[in-house]
Amino acid sequence: MHRENRAGSVASYLISRLEELGIEHLFNVAGSYCSGLLAELPQSPRLRAVFTTYEMEAAYAADAYARIRGYGAICGTYGVGALSALNGIAGAFVERCPVIVINGGPSSKQLQLQIEYGIMFLHSTGPLKTDLAVYSQVTVAAAVINRAEDAPSKIDEVLLACMTHRRPVYIEISQDLWHQSCPPPAQPLCVPIDQVNYDALSECLTEAVARLAGARRALLWAGEELDRWGLQDDFAELVGVSGLPYVTTLAGKAVVAETTKGFLGVYDGRFASLDVQEIVEKADLVIALGTAITDFVGDIVAKDYGCMVLASNGGARIGHHVYADVKLRDFVAGLTERLRRPAVPASWVSAARQQQNAVADHAEDAPLTFDLLFAHVPEFVRGKRVIADTGLSLFASAGLPISAPGGYISQSIWMSIGYSVGAAVGAACASGQRPVVFVGDTAFREGPQAVSTLVQYKLPAVICVINNQIMGIQQFMGNPKYYQSSAAQPDYYNVLPPWNYGALAEAFGAHYARARTLGELKRALGQAAHVVDRPILIDVVLDPKDIPTVVRGAIERSAPEEIHAGFEGPLLRPSTR
C-alpha cells in the first residue's frame, strides 16, 4: 500500500517499500548514520522501530521475524554496527531467511575528506566500501546509494532480489541522503515469473516416478526450503496424495503440523531417535524436498546417494542425474499431479516404528534431567512457538510434538550459539504466539541482555535456561568420554563459572523461577502460564553429567569421515542465489 502524498524523501521511499513487504518492525541499534531514517519512522502508520541491546540481537530478531512473516529488516550504522550484526546475517543467508540489511553510510563530504586528505570518517576501517565487500559474501544483492536520484531504482532492484531468492540483501545509504527529495513508489514491486523448462521438468518427474514405482520402502524427507518458499500446503497435499510416510530435518521441523498422517519424526542423522534412524536406513528410496545436506546428515548421503531424489531451489538430483533447471515448487506440484491416486497406506513402517510411550511416573522430588524436562513440557508448549538454541537441548527438543505449522524455530544449519533469545524478540513481534525458548547456559551467555528488550516491549517469552555449568555440546563433540564415566572430568575450557540467574532476571525486570526437581518444574510452568506482561526466566538446574538420551546414543554412532568417497556424480550444490 503506497502513500498518497506526492512529495517524499529517500527515507520515506524505503519505508514504503518495507511496508509493502508486510514488515511492521524494524530491529535496530540507534546510530548517527541511520538517525535520518529513524526520524522518519513516526510518520509511518505501520512500521515501528524496535530498539535492541546489540546488533547481533537485532539480526537474530529479524531472522526469526522473516521465518514467520516472510521478510525481516535490520537497520544499523556503518562499520561497528554492520559488522557486529554480520554473524546473524550469515546465519540468515545459510538458512534462507530473507532479511533486509539497511546500513547508514558516510556522507559524500566524509568520503571526500578521506579520499583527498586521508581523514578517516567515523567507524571507517581505512579502505572504502568495507561493509559492502563483506556483506556481498552473505547476501544475494548489495548496493551503495550515494545519490538521491538513484535511490528508487537501486532500492527496488535489491528488494526484488530478496523476493526472488529468499535470502538476505544489503542496502547502504549515505547519511546525508535520508531527507533528500525522492518521489514515492510509482507501482508495486513485481517479481518476474520464473520460466519453467517443461522438457527438463517432465523428464525429471518421469524418472522420479519410475524410481518410486520400483521402490518398496519409499519415504519423503521434508526440509526447511519448503517453509521458506511457502510450500507447506503443497507438501501436505503431496503427503496426502502419495500416502508416503515422511520425516523432516531439524531445520524443517513442523513445516506442517506434526499431527499430519504419515509423520514419523525428525531425522537429523545419528542424533535422531533409534526408531527413526532404523526406518530411514531401511528405506530403498528417499525423496528429499528442500533439504539442506550438512555433515550432521551425511550418513544418509554416504549410504543412499544413488537411490536418493533431492529437490531444492538450486535444482533436482535423482541418483547421479542432475536437473539444474527444475525448481522445488515445480517438482513438488508436478510430483503431486503424477501421483494422484487413492492413498497407499504406509504399512511398511508400522513394524519398525516404535509407539510413543506414555510419560513414566516420577516423584515430585525427582531431580530434573534433559529427558524429564522435555517429557513434561509438551502440554505447556502447545499453542506456543518453541525456539531451541544450538546445544544439547536442540537435539532433545527434536522429539517435542508440535501441532501447529511453523510452531518450532531453530538455527540448526548455521548453528550459532546464542541465537534463541534474540530470535524470541523477533518471533514475539511477528505473531501472537508466545515464544518458549530452550537455551543452554553457554548459549544464553552470548546475549542475555536481549531479555531486557523483551521486558521493554512487554513480550512475555518463556526463557528456559539449562543451567548445568558446562559447555555440554562442546564437551560432547570434543571428548564424549566425559559422559561415559562417572569419574571422568570435563575439559577445563568447557567449565562455566556460576551465574546468579535470579539476580540477572531481577536486574532486567523479568520474572524468575528455579526448577531443580520435577515438582519445581511444574510450579515454574504454572507461574509462567499466568505471566502476560513480561518474560520469565526459568532456571532449569541439571547435573553436568546429564545428557539427552538421543545424544548419548549418538556417542557410539560416529558420522562418516569422508562423505563423498567413491561418488561418481556431484552432490547437488547449494545455490548462492
Side-chain angles (χ1 to χ4, degrees), residues 11 84 105 179 195 200 232 237 243 252 379 436 455 516 526:
S84 177
H179 298 303
Q195 296 298 314
Q232 299 93 330
E237 184 180 11
E379 187 59 36
V436 180
V455 171
R516 294 162 295 184

Side-chain angles (χ1 to χ4, degrees), residues 294-314:
T294 70
D295 54 5
F296 273 90
V297 294
D299 308 58
I300 191 173
V301 179
K303 174 180 177 293
D304 295 332
Y305 190 93
C307 58
M308 175 186 285
V309 175
L310 172 61
S312 72
N313 213 54

Side-chain angles (χ1 to χ4, degrees), residues 342-356:
V344 179
S347 57
W348 75 269
V349 302
S350 60
R353 188 182 184 191
Q354 297 177 2
Q355 298 298 316
Q356 290 280 349

Side-chain angles (χ1 to χ4, degrees), residues 452-467:
S452 70
T453 308
L454 294 166
V455 171
Q456 179 182 355
Y457 293 98
K458 298 182 179 180
L459 304 173
V462 180
I463 313 295
C464 299
V465 179
I466 311 301
N467 178 10

Side-chain angles (χ1 to χ4, degrees), residues 52 88 138 151 196 385 414 419 492 550:
T52 59
V138 292
V196 179
R385 195 182 306 275
W414 181 241
Y419 165 82
Y492 76 91
V550 291

Side-chain angles (χ1 to χ4, degrees), residues 51 55 133 195 258 265 337:
F51 297 102
E55 288 83 3
Q195 296 298 314
E258 294 184 346
E337 289 304 313

Side-chain angles (χ1 to χ4, degrees), residues 70-251:
Y71 300 93
I74 175 178
C75 171
T77 202
Y78 193 88
V80 293
L83 298 183
S84 177
L86 183 62
N87 175 56
I89 301 304
F93 179 78
V94 171
E95 305 226 351
R96 287 194 175 274
C97 299
V99 174
I100 299 154
V101 181
I102 302 164
N103 194 19
S107 67
S108 56
K109 183 177 180 180
Q110 286 175 306
L111 290 172
Q112 183 181 4
L113 287 172
Q114 178 159 329
I115 293 170
E116 294 185 2
Y117 301 103
I119 301 174
M120 293 175 61
F121 58 83
L122 181 64
H123 307 319
S124 171
T125 60
L128 299 179
K129 297 186 178 180
T130 298
D131 290 11
L132 175 68
V134 171
Y135 269 90
S136 294
Q137 303 300 309
V138 292
T139 58
V140 293
V144 174
I145 301 174
N146 292 317
R147 301 191 311 165
E149 54 265 36
D150 295 335
S153 61
K154 287 192 173 183
I155 288 172
D156 287 2
E157 180 182 357
V158 170
L159 294 183
L160 284 170
C162 184
M163 297 167 70
T164 301
H165 302 292
R166 301 290 177 141
R167 275 185 157 168
V169 293
Y170 173 86
I171 301 173
E172 181 183 320
I173 299 178
S174 298
Q175 64 168 327
D176 53 347
L177 295 189
W178 293 118
H179 298 303
Q180 290 193 24
S181 178
C182 178
Q187 57 189 10
L189 294 168
C190 184
V191 177
I193 298 175
D194 277 343
Q195 296 298 314
V196 179
N197 185 332
Y198 289 102
D199 291 338
L201 177 62
S202 178
E203 182 179 333
C204 178
L205 290 171
T206 297
E207 184 176 0
V209 170
R211 290 285 189 109
L212 190 55
R216 300 178 58 191
R217 298 181 301 277
L219 61 78
L220 302 172
W221 187 21
E224 58 289 335
E225 282 194 21
L226 292 170
D227 174 76
R228 306 300 189 265
W229 291 98
L231 300 177
Q232 299 93 330
D233 292 342
D234 302 72
F235 176 71
E237 184 180 11
L238 174 60
V239 171
V241 166
S242 68
L244 292 171
Y246 78 96
V247 295
T248 71
T249 61
L250 191 49

